[in-house]
Amino acid sequence: MQQSEQKGAPGAQERAARQRYERGQQRSLIEALKRLVPYLEGLKLRWFFGMLAAIAAGIIALSIPVVLGGLVDDIEAEGAAAAVVWTAFAVVLGLGVLEAIFVFLRRFFVIPPASDAETNMRVSLFERLVGQSAAFHGAWEAGQLQSRAIADLNMLRRFFAFGSLMLLTSSITVLVGIGVMFSWSPTLAALFLCAAVPVIALGPAFRRKFVHYSRSAQDQAGEVATKVEESVHGIRVLKAFGRGDWARSSFKEEAATLRDLEVSKMRTLAKFQMLMVLLPEGVLAACIFTGLYLAGQGDLTAGALAGFFAMAVVLKQPIEGIGMLIGMVFMAKTSIDRHIDVMDVEPDIVSPAEPKTAAEKGLVELEDVHFRYPDAAEDLIRGANLRIEPGETMALVSATGGGTSTLLNLVPRLYDVTSGTVRIDGVDVRDYSLPDLRSRVAVAFEDPTLFSTTVKSNVLLGTSHQRDDDDPAHPSRDRAPSRDQLDEILDEALHTADAEFVRELPESLETRIGEEGLSLSGGQRQRLALSRAIAAKPSVLLLDDPLSALDVRTEERVTARLREVLDGTTTLIIAHRPSTVALADRVAVLHEGRIADVGTHTELLERSAIYSRIMKPTPPESQDLMDAIPADEDQGEAADPAVSANTEVTK
Amino acid sequence: MSERNGRTANVDDAHFTDTAALDLSKITPPRDEDEFAHLRGTSAEEDVTFTKAERKFIRRRSLSLLWRASAGVRGKLLLTAIAVVVSQGAQAATPFIAGGLAIDWGLPRLMDGDSAGLWVPALLYLLCAVTAGVLLYWYTRMTAEASQAMLYKLRDEVFRKTQALSLDFHEDYTSGKVISRQTSDLEALRELLDGGVNQLVQGLMFMLFTTIYIWISDFRSGLVLLAAVVPIIFLGRWYQKNAEVAYRRTRISSARMIVHFVESMTGIRAVQAFRREDARSRQYRKLAKIYRDDMVRSIGLFGVLQPGLMLIGNLAVAAVLLWGGFRVLEGDLGAGLLLGIVLATKRVFQPLDMIAMFYNSLQSATAALEKVSGLLEETPKVRQVKSPQRLEDCAGDIEFTDAEFKYSDDGPVVMKQLDLHIPAGQTVAVVGRTGAGKSTLVKLLARFYDVTSGSLTLDGVELRELSEDDHHRHVAMVTQEAFLFSGSIRENIALSRPEATEDEIIAAAKAVGAHEFIMGLPEGYDTDVNKRGGRISAGQRQLVSFARAFLADPAVLILDEATSSLDLPSEQLVQQGLERLLGNRTALIIAHRLSTVSIADRVLVIDEGQVVEDGSPQELIDAGGYFSKLHSAWSATMGN
């Protein structure tokens, strides 16, 4: 029944999901609703009017039969004239028109503000999510976020615009109806009320069960979305190995779980609805028995008995409807819980309250930097020290998986150091405002993430291009270039990265590149990502193995141009091979989480055994050599600092 | 993974798995005979207005999909409808039992001392109540089961179709769109399926019975009802026409919103590093606002339809009263009967509300089905022929004859007239400038695409005619993107051969030098790679990806720039493993590293979609062409 129990040892994500589930179970409906108050600002008054309109429409609907009865009696009366018929016609017509108007008004009042509330929640969710750190996004599945942003909020809109009103009007109708019943016969009305006792008694059990299924189903919908997302992003791998069927069967498993949960949810609701029909109707059968008996005894008039049952008929629909509406309340509550889950996570990487700033030179310093991934057992970076002078180009080298990319992410605060400091121009990166910091630093990532927009927009991502003037990240330090300057920047960036192939595309720079630029080759994407970093004109440029997918001649060209452009820009470049290192003035070797050595390529080849192993490995001739190559130095058993070659360099 | 497959086999009901009938591309006529060719598939997905004939075509396609999806649950749906009718009948009877039977029949008998007058009505009432209640439970459940079964089937088919579609489709059609088809579009359908049938049947039954009663009682009032049908039809048509467009807009704007959302979250590092949070949020706000407006507009249409119908109904009531009133005055009609008829007229229009709601969900669902059916109508460019050839054992002999390739009929020729024979067991390095067409060559072999003319054979079997299973068994490709799926490292390696044993998986990892780093991870092979392999470095991902290829153990191995993120020691390990692996296999290696090329028996230089140099590495170096220059450049950087 509960997914996580089936899947054996729960992973971190499942544990977190379980915790969220439980927090939701503990939160009361009122508490959940209270959390929505900020979004309901514009809704309250109009919702109130909407409710009035709904009640008015309900009263008219109830009164029309009564009025009709009276009117027909009048027509029947002796000596009635045509005028009576006309009057009756006018009254019925008037009420009929009013009923339609009130029904119209109910929607008119409620729909727009409910939709506004939905939109506000959606946008707030998005704003919160783009402000969340990379660590947050690593822990959340994309599908879970997406289902919260769309399906859950649609649910809430329906609840506010429809469910909540109907529930209130139905409840009011039922209460008034029962009051009227009391006026006909207190005994029968009291008997009728007995039907409520089992409903109230069974209510909590139903609620628990229904909320469980509703929450699980909504969570599962997110899992399904995640599978879809993954299967599309990984389509090339699936196709290369012909594993579409495998992906499909694992998707089907999730989809089947969703199906089963939804069916279980509806089954639970159906049971409750059955209760909502069976109980009142069953009690009414007893009322017939009792009523007839009382009438037979002469304790009740036939008219009162008829009146009592006429009201019972009127109440039939609202009572039945309440079952469904209560289900809706709980689904809405689940949606609120799921919304809160995300909104309650405070972003861990934010601008400080009183940001500092400094004149832009491009001095980068790492001081005793430690870093550990949130659920990892030990530090990946274990006290790195490094100083990169303004304008200097420093290559960062380590064995595969040595933590170089991680170290790079610490500079623009995509992750925060666990301890120690990263400073730019003498100021701790955590003391800058994020826009300030990130406008000083530009990164070309190892996997070049491109967006499905034009080539131009992709390359100019870090500039003022397509940014509103009041965008807080808009360059404020007199750096907003004009349109012509932007074009120049674009040309220069494309030229430097040898990405001029884009001009050959069908619509040149205005060509929309597919999702993640998948229609381009790896090398092409990489060059666009490189030109994007260059176009941002940062004082600190971080390049994560930017030339890896380039062929050797392109690499040569790009290298030569980069050398010119990088002049004056502080650059940290992750390199896996000598050709990339060639760009750098000096090389830093990251080994076992520390900077083991810094020097020129030639110096290091001479004095650093680690560096030589990485950059000039002896071609392995036999199987034995495999053991000699340190493939897991960084992640292996805890390194003994005394043993490791730890030549910390801080100039 | 085997455990997962085991569980999948248990997923119930055989008919759930049969989705072939939902593959609309199979019933698409040939393009030149197809007057709606421009609407086929997803091509008209962003269009909002269509001509009458086009609308009809699209509507028919959507409804046909709905009909096909209902296969297997139609009996259930019919039973549901019957249960609804009986349950409603039982519910409708209760007022008569309470009123007529109890008071008019029971009470006089009771007064006469006949106790039957007491318990007959009470028991009958109870019987009706139990019938109504139990059936309500039963049909609510049945509806949910039927609707979920249909959705499951549609989800599965949409998934299957997206997997089957060729890469060029995916390059345009973003993952966000697929997600939006799978989530919000199917959600719209669910709303219809969950409530629709009940509403419709309930409403129609009720209207039918009441109308018959009115006609029998007084045909003149029946004529008034008939007259009311005219404005209802007009209103209905007005609504349909507008709602169709409005709901179509909401599907489009909802998909755009989802695409933006998914892309922003997937690319969050780039968004943050380039300070696009605000710009992206603004853009999202814009899209959400458009969606909101479209949504409010479509709901607003219903907000006119519903009171409109009510107004027509109430006008009819007033008209019946007016006409009947005068006839009562003239003595042609009994006053009691008039009251009965007027009340019935009021009631006859009540279910219109429900039917309107059904109609509303139908409009919304049709708009969603338009998009889903369009996707299901897409034809994969690469697909298996009807009776594919089997190839039990494969040596790995590859032959291109006059092979040409272009992405689209009117597009440029990407690969020109290629004649190339790669004998079994040869290791071929493919080099050339970025974008020269190296990838195209190997993608044809991996059947990401099919040659547009000429032939490409594997062991003499035309690749297009080879069964997919055999093709995948014999040809494996390591792509540029080393994508990791959520799950453990073990599952990710075993992707290429789910039945592989633990030992085989570890052996594959060891062979490419991935074992050490995997053992260094917190839970070794069981480590969850987390979302999109964020924790695992690019180089490590490539190693896992290589391990996959090793495990696949294919006759033909294709490496598409698969070593780019590896450092030299790792690359050497891979290289070393590769040499052992390649022993008797055919291999095509796209590489820009000398080290990789050095293990090749033969080098092909590709430029502008043509093989411009072909020979052993030494021959080409001696010939002094492109490769020779490349070689000196490599030597220079290596020697640096």
Side-chain angles (χ1 to χ4, degrees), chain B residues 507-540:
Chain B
K510 278 188 174 155
V512 298
H515 181 70
E516 289 75 11
F517 101 79
I518 295 171
M519 291 314 284
L521 292 172
E523 292 162 63
Y525 283 84
D526 289 319
T527 308
D528 198 310
V529 297
N530 230 334
K531 198 180 115 194
R532 312 206 71 205
R535 287 299 160 71
I536 317 280
S537 81
Q540 290 168 335

Short mmCIF file of all heavy atoms in Angstrom, two decimals, chain B residues 507-540:
data_model
loop_
_atom_site.label_atom_id
_atom_site.label_comp_id
_atom_site.label_asym_id
_atom_site.label_seq_id
_atom_site.Cartn_x
_atom_site.Cartn_y
_atom_site.Cartn_z
N ALA B 507 32.70 -6.60 -13.36
CA ALA B 507 33.76 -6.82 -14.35
C ALA B 507 33.77 -5.71 -15.38
O ALA B 507 34.84 -5.21 -15.76
CB ALA B 507 33.56 -8.18 -15.01
N ALA B 508 32.59 -5.29 -15.81
CA ALA B 508 32.51 -4.22 -16.80
C ALA B 508 33.06 -2.92 -16.22
O ALA B 508 33.82 -2.20 -16.88
CB ALA B 508 31.07 -4.03 -17.25
N ALA B 509 32.71 -2.65 -14.96
CA ALA B 509 33.18 -1.43 -14.33
C ALA B 509 34.70 -1.48 -14.18
O ALA B 509 35.40 -0.48 -14.39
CB ALA B 509 32.51 -1.24 -12.98
N LYS B 510 35.22 -2.65 -13.81
CA LYS B 510 36.66 -2.78 -13.65
C LYS B 510 37.37 -2.58 -14.97
O LYS B 510 38.41 -1.93 -15.05
CB LYS B 510 37.00 -4.16 -13.10
CG LYS B 510 36.84 -4.24 -11.59
CD LYS B 510 37.36 -5.56 -11.05
CE LYS B 510 37.33 -5.54 -9.53
NZ LYS B 510 37.25 -6.91 -8.98
N ALA B 511 36.79 -3.13 -16.01
CA ALA B 511 37.43 -3.07 -17.33
C ALA B 511 37.64 -1.64 -17.79
O ALA B 511 38.61 -1.35 -18.49
CB ALA B 511 36.58 -3.83 -18.34
N VAL B 512 36.78 -0.72 -17.41
CA VAL B 512 36.95 0.66 -17.85
C VAL B 512 37.54 1.52 -16.74
O VAL B 512 37.63 2.74 -16.88
CB VAL B 512 35.62 1.29 -18.31
CG1 VAL B 512 35.06 0.53 -19.50
CG2 VAL B 512 34.61 1.34 -17.18
N GLY B 513 37.90 0.89 -15.63
CA GLY B 513 38.51 1.65 -14.55
C GLY B 513 37.52 2.48 -13.78
O GLY B 513 37.87 3.49 -13.17
N ALA B 514 36.25 2.05 -13.77
CA ALA B 514 35.25 2.80 -13.02
C ALA B 514 35.05 2.21 -11.64
O ALA B 514 34.48 2.84 -10.75
CB ALA B 514 33.92 2.80 -13.78
N HIS B 515 35.54 0.98 -11.47
CA HIS B 515 35.30 0.26 -10.22
C HIS B 515 35.82 1.03 -9.01
O HIS B 515 35.14 1.15 -7.99
CB HIS B 515 35.98 -1.11 -10.31
CG HIS B 515 35.78 -1.95 -9.08
ND1 HIS B 515 34.56 -2.48 -8.75
CD2 HIS B 515 36.64 -2.34 -8.11
CE1 HIS B 515 34.67 -3.17 -7.63
NE2 HIS B 515 35.93 -3.10 -7.21
N GLU B 516 37.03 1.60 -9.15
CA GLU B 516 37.64 2.26 -8.00
C GLU B 516 36.80 3.43 -7.51
O GLU B 516 36.54 3.57 -6.33
CB GLU B 516 39.06 2.73 -8.34
CG GLU B 516 40.08 1.61 -8.50
CD GLU B 516 39.91 0.84 -9.81
OE1 GLU B 516 39.15 1.32 -10.70
OE2 GLU B 516 40.52 -0.23 -9.96
N PHE B 517 36.39 4.26 -8.45
CA PHE B 517 35.65 5.43 -7.99
C PHE B 517 34.28 5.01 -7.45
O PHE B 517 33.78 5.60 -6.50
CB PHE B 517 35.55 6.50 -9.09
CG PHE B 517 34.25 6.56 -9.83
CD1 PHE B 517 33.14 7.19 -9.25
CD2 PHE B 517 34.12 6.03 -11.10
CE1 PHE B 517 31.93 7.25 -9.93
CE2 PHE B 517 32.92 6.10 -11.78
CZ PHE B 517 31.82 6.71 -11.19
N ILE B 518 33.71 3.97 -8.02
CA ILE B 518 32.40 3.52 -7.54
C ILE B 518 32.53 3.00 -6.10
O ILE B 518 31.71 3.32 -5.24
CB ILE B 518 31.82 2.41 -8.46
CG1 ILE B 518 31.54 2.98 -9.85
CG2 ILE B 518 30.54 1.84 -7.86
CD1 ILE B 518 31.19 1.96 -10.91
N MET B 519 33.59 2.24 -5.85
CA MET B 519 33.78 1.72 -4.50
C MET B 519 34.02 2.85 -3.50
O MET B 519 33.76 2.71 -2.31
CB MET B 519 34.96 0.73 -4.46
CG MET B 519 34.69 -0.58 -5.20
SD MET B 519 33.07 -1.28 -4.82
CE MET B 519 33.39 -1.95 -3.20
N GLY B 520 34.51 3.97 -4.01
CA GLY B 520 34.76 5.11 -3.13
C GLY B 520 33.48 5.87 -2.79
O GLY B 520 33.47 6.73 -1.92
N LEU B 521 32.39 5.58 -3.50
CA LEU B 521 31.13 6.28 -3.24
C LEU B 521 30.51 5.72 -1.95
O LEU B 521 30.79 4.59 -1.56
CB LEU B 521 30.16 6.07 -4.41
CG LEU B 521 30.58 6.75 -5.72
CD1 LEU B 521 29.67 6.32 -6.85
CD2 LEU B 521 30.56 8.26 -5.56
N PRO B 522 29.66 6.53 -1.31
CA PRO B 522 29.14 6.14 0.00
C PRO B 522 28.59 4.71 0.05
O PRO B 522 28.86 3.98 0.98
CB PRO B 522 28.03 7.16 0.26
CG PRO B 522 28.36 8.32 -0.60
CD PRO B 522 29.17 7.83 -1.74
N GLU B 523 27.80 4.33 -0.94
CA GLU B 523 27.22 3.00 -0.88
C GLU B 523 27.64 2.13 -2.06
O GLU B 523 26.90 1.26 -2.51
CB GLU B 523 25.69 3.09 -0.82
CG GLU B 523 25.17 3.67 0.48
CD GLU B 523 23.73 4.15 0.35
OE1 GLU B 523 22.86 3.31 0.09
OE2 GLU B 523 23.50 5.36 0.47
N GLY B 524 28.84 2.41 -2.59
CA GLY B 524 29.36 1.60 -3.68
C GLY B 524 28.40 1.56 -4.87
O GLY B 524 27.88 2.59 -5.29
N TYR B 525 28.17 0.35 -5.35
CA TYR B 525 27.31 0.19 -6.52
C TYR B 525 25.86 0.54 -6.23
O TYR B 525 25.07 0.73 -7.14
CB TYR B 525 27.41 -1.25 -7.05
CG TYR B 525 28.68 -1.48 -7.83
CD1 TYR B 525 29.86 -1.81 -7.18
CD2 TYR B 525 28.70 -1.34 -9.22
CE1 TYR B 525 31.03 -2.00 -7.88
CE2 TYR B 525 29.87 -1.53 -9.93
CZ TYR B 525 31.04 -1.86 -9.26
OH TYR B 525 32.18 -2.03 -9.97
N ASP B 526 25.51 0.60 -4.96
CA ASP B 526 24.12 0.91 -4.60
C ASP B 526 23.89 2.41 -4.49
O ASP B 526 22.79 2.86 -4.22
CB ASP B 526 23.75 0.25 -3.27
CG ASP B 526 23.62 -1.24 -3.44
OD1 ASP B 526 23.05 -1.65 -4.47
OD2 ASP B 526 24.12 -1.99 -2.57
N THR B 527 24.95 3.20 -4.64
CA THR B 527 24.80 4.64 -4.49
C THR B 527 23.78 5.18 -5.49
O THR B 527 23.83 4.86 -6.68
CB THR B 527 26.15 5.35 -4.74
OG1 THR B 527 27.11 4.73 -3.91
CG2 THR B 527 26.05 6.82 -4.41
N ASP B 528 22.88 5.96 -4.96
CA ASP B 528 21.88 6.60 -5.82
C ASP B 528 22.57 7.74 -6.56
O ASP B 528 23.21 8.57 -5.94
CB ASP B 528 20.75 7.14 -4.93
CG ASP B 528 19.50 7.40 -5.73
OD1 ASP B 528 19.61 8.07 -6.78
OD2 ASP B 528 18.43 6.94 -5.33
N VAL B 529 22.46 7.75 -7.87
CA VAL B 529 23.20 8.79 -8.60
C VAL B 529 22.53 10.14 -8.46
O VAL B 529 23.02 11.15 -8.91
CB VAL B 529 23.34 8.46 -10.10
CG1 VAL B 529 24.15 7.22 -10.27
CG2 VAL B 529 21.99 8.34 -10.76
N ASN B 530 21.34 10.14 -7.81
CA ASN B 530 20.63 11.38 -7.57
C ASN B 530 20.18 11.99 -8.87
O ASN B 530 20.44 11.49 -9.95
CB ASN B 530 21.50 12.37 -6.81
CG ASN B 530 20.75 12.92 -5.63
OD1 ASN B 530 19.52 12.97 -5.66
ND2 ASN B 530 21.49 13.31 -4.63
N LYS B 531 19.53 13.08 -8.74
CA LYS B 531 18.94 13.66 -9.92
C LYS B 531 19.99 14.00 -10.97
O LYS B 531 20.91 14.75 -10.71
CB LYS B 531 18.18 14.91 -9.53
CG LYS B 531 17.20 15.35 -10.58
CD LYS B 531 16.48 16.59 -10.12
CE LYS B 531 16.81 17.76 -10.99
NZ LYS B 531 16.45 19.02 -10.47
N ARG B 532 19.84 13.46 -12.13
CA ARG B 532 20.67 13.76 -13.28
C ARG B 532 22.16 13.63 -12.98
O ARG B 532 23.00 14.30 -13.56
CB ARG B 532 20.37 15.15 -13.83
CG ARG B 532 18.89 15.37 -14.00
CD ARG B 532 18.61 16.39 -15.05
NE ARG B 532 18.90 15.89 -16.36
CZ ARG B 532 19.20 16.64 -17.40
NH1 ARG B 532 19.28 17.93 -17.27
NH2 ARG B 532 19.43 16.11 -18.56
N GLY B 533 22.46 12.76 -12.07
CA GLY B 533 23.86 12.48 -11.80
C GLY B 533 24.67 13.67 -11.35
O GLY B 533 25.86 13.75 -11.60
N GLY B 534 24.00 14.62 -10.66
CA GLY B 534 24.67 15.86 -10.27
C GLY B 534 25.95 15.68 -9.46
O GLY B 534 26.89 16.44 -9.58
N ARG B 535 25.95 14.63 -8.64
CA ARG B 535 27.09 14.42 -7.76
C ARG B 535 28.27 13.79 -8.47
O ARG B 535 29.39 13.83 -8.01
CB ARG B 535 26.73 13.46 -6.64
CG ARG B 535 25.85 13.99 -5.61
CD ARG B 535 26.50 15.17 -4.92
NE ARG B 535 25.43 15.91 -4.28
CZ ARG B 535 24.78 15.48 -3.24
NH1 ARG B 535 25.13 14.38 -2.66
NH2 ARG B 535 23.79 16.16 -2.74
N ILE B 536 27.97 13.09 -9.51
CA ILE B 536 29.00 12.33 -10.18
C ILE B 536 29.60 13.25 -11.23
O ILE B 536 28.86 13.88 -11.98
CB ILE B 536 28.38 11.09 -10.86
CG1 ILE B 536 27.36 10.40 -9.96
CG2 ILE B 536 29.43 10.15 -11.38
CD1 ILE B 536 27.91 9.51 -8.92
N SER B 537 30.91 13.35 -11.27
CA SER B 537 31.53 14.29 -12.20
C SER B 537 31.36 13.83 -13.64
O SER B 537 31.04 12.67 -13.90
CB SER B 537 33.01 14.46 -11.88
OG SER B 537 33.72 13.38 -12.44
N ALA B 538 31.56 14.76 -14.54
CA ALA B 538 31.36 14.45 -15.96
C ALA B 538 32.21 13.26 -16.38
O ALA B 538 31.76 12.38 -17.11
CB ALA B 538 31.69 15.68 -16.80
N GLY B 539 33.46 13.25 -15.92
CA GLY B 539 34.35 12.16 -16.29
C GLY B 539 33.85 10.83 -15.75
O GLY B 539 33.87 9.82 -16.44
N GLN B 540 33.39 10.86 -14.50
CA GLN B 540 32.89 9.62 -13.90
C GLN B 540 31.65 9.12 -14.62
O GLN B 540 31.46 7.93 -14.81
CB GLN B 540 32.59 9.86 -12.42
CG GLN B 540 33.86 10.06 -11.60
CD GLN B 540 33.57 10.57 -10.21
OE1 GLN B 540 32.55 11.22 -9.96
NE2 GLN B 540 34.48 10.32 -9.29
#
